[in-house]
Amino acid sequence: MRFISTRGETPALGFSEAVATGLAPDGGLYLPERMPDFSGDLRRWEGMDYASLCFEFMRVFATDIPEDTLRRLVAASYSRFTDPAIAPLRPLAQGLYVLELWHGPTLAFKDFALQLLGNLYAHQCATRRESINVLGATSGDTGAAAIHGLIGRPGTAIFILYPDGRVSPLQERQMACTGADNVFAVAIDGTFDDAQAALKEVFADQGFRTRLRLSAVNSINLARVLAQCVYYLHAWLRLPETERGNVEFVVPTGNFGNVLAGWMLQRMGVPIRGFRVATNQNDILYRLFTTGEYRVGEVRPSLAPSMDIQVASNFERFLYFSEGRDPARVRAVMAEFKRTGACRFPRFDRDIFSASRTDDREIAEIIARVHRQHGYVADPHTACGFKDLNPDRVNVVLSTASPAKFPDTIRSAIGVEPTHPSLEALKSRPIVKHRLHATPDTIRAFIDARAV
Ligand SMILES: *Cc1c(COP(=O)(O)O)cnc(C)c1O
């Protein structure tokens, strides 16, 4: 299988190259050059365990990795999850389920993609006999998940920049208490935007980038989207047959990456009825799906911080399909968006996509209500998914983080503080972080001295 750019001005690549490249040189995002049809495989996949199913799915795309190697990489990626089902589907009421995606090492759904990406990177280092230095900026979950994907792996080092004092104490501990000597938690004086801006300049230095074989952690990597298709498939196969055709996945969303994965799976022949795009008060996607206008707004910090995003970077992949797979149209729309901060789309298929928006007051109310009605504790991101569910469909709410990551919000909503053994263990370990000024020179020098 080969992978093409949404902007159509760069050659198609094989899987491993597309994963290593990340953002396409023409500024576009990679997509499979054709969508496989899995409708004939669903019977055979019935009851398969998570890692086997993931291998069956990925082998269709990762055709340049030998099958036994791929099977091993996939198995390793899900070996550090603590629930035997990997992504357990819990029934809460008639026609209502939660799909728990937080049993991986950092207790958030990003582990599904970043554990696999870490294994793919490590495999590339080994086969090419090259080292790789991974660099990213984070406001929380992504950095921690990326670190735990590469922790202790030979031939790799990872540098994660975050705003000092502005990520939650538990998130900081997940990054800074690893004890691994290939992990560098870099606390920047300034905001997330300052960290991001410094990082951009470091990447813009082509000479430095090539010499150190720098690779970016971001949400647009092809492997992340494909890895995320698998939990939708796994959940669909675990629903009673009578409910499968009427399922609506409800997805707490920031960058659109998670919803996009489900929607792509639907296009690959899995009969999913619909998707609910659930945003917090940073509602660019809610506005898009209800009014047809995509317009950037100000980011306002919320109780669901991993969804505090106003430009949905994965949206371009969806755009490619909605513009009839025409890269020239994609380029025109993206150029208009860049120039004016907005663009309009024809009406979406309301039967497939619906949207909701949940502000902070409602998040607290929903956490209390779901606890009262179902005895279930939802984290603030998951809580956004419980708003205005469609009563005519079987709802599967994706639970994207463990409530134990947000003890303060949960305590004030239900009076009980959730805990998790892996977070408790972190509290007694020393924090090792490197405080730096957010200037490109300082960051370059720091990386240069520690890169592999
Ligand atoms: C990253 C994240 C999200 C948003 O995911 P997208 O792929 O950006 O839509 C939601 N919940 C949690 C807990 C996250 O970490």
Side-chain angles (χ1 to χ4, degrees), residues 103-117:
H103 296 282
T106 70
L107 314 185
F109 88 97
K110 293 187 173 72
D111 288 326
F112 277 86
L114 289 169
Q115 286 287 307
L116 182 63
L117 191 60

Side-chain angles (χ1 to χ4, degrees), residues 188-190 194-195 197-198 436-440 442-443:
I188 291 296
D189 61 352
D194 297 331
L436 292 187
H437 291 297
T439 58
T442 320
I443 295 165

Side-chain angles (χ1 to χ4, degrees), residues 108-110 141 252-258 306-307 309 379 381 400-401:
F109 88 97
K110 293 187 173 72
D141 286 337
T253 294
N255 258 317
F256 201 65
N258 203 351
S306 297
M307 289 155 47
I309 285 164
D379 97 287
H381 302 83
T400 52

Side-chain angles (χ1 to χ4, degrees), residues 224-354:
R224 288 184 70 172
V225 177
L226 293 177
Q228 291 178 186
C229 294
V230 179
Y231 49 72
Y232 287 93
L233 178 60
H234 189 255
W236 189 90
L237 288 165
R238 268 161 184 70
L239 285 168
E241 271 198 74
T242 50
E243 294 188 332
R244 288 178 184 168
N246 193 32
V247 63
E248 174 144 309
F249 285 104
V250 183
V251 192
T253 294
N255 258 317
F256 201 65
N258 203 351
V259 196
L260 178 86
W263 181 75
M264 279 176 50
L265 186 73
Q266 185 196 42
R267 292 186 67 100
M268 296 175 198
V270 180
I272 296 165
R273 188 84 166 80
F275 297 93
R276 165 65 63 92
V277 177
T279 74
N280 63 17
Q281 64 195 12
N282 295 299
D283 58 355
I284 183 170
L285 290 170
Y286 170 74
R287 287 181 283 114
L288 170 68
F289 283 103
T290 49
T291 68
E293 188 185 47
Y294 186 67
R295 176 182 290 279
V296 201
E298 279 278 293
V299 174
R300 287 191 297 133
S302 80
L303 292 177
S306 297
M307 289 155 47
D308 288 346
I309 285 164
Q310 282 284 23
V311 181
S313 45
N314 263 295
F315 185 70
E316 185 166 334
R317 288 191 164 105
F318 180 68
L319 181 67
Y320 176 80
F321 292 102
S322 66
E323 294 295 326
R325 299 175 170 244
D326 178 353
R329 285 285 311 146
V330 174
R331 294 199 297 274
V333 173
M334 293 311 292
E336 184 197 338
F337 179 66
K338 196 169 175 189
R339 201 175 61 246
T340 64
C343 45
R344 284 205 69 81
F345 293 92
R347 289 172 63 83
F348 296 101
D349 187 342
R350 294 284 163 104
D351 201 42
I352 297 182
F353 281 110
S354 63

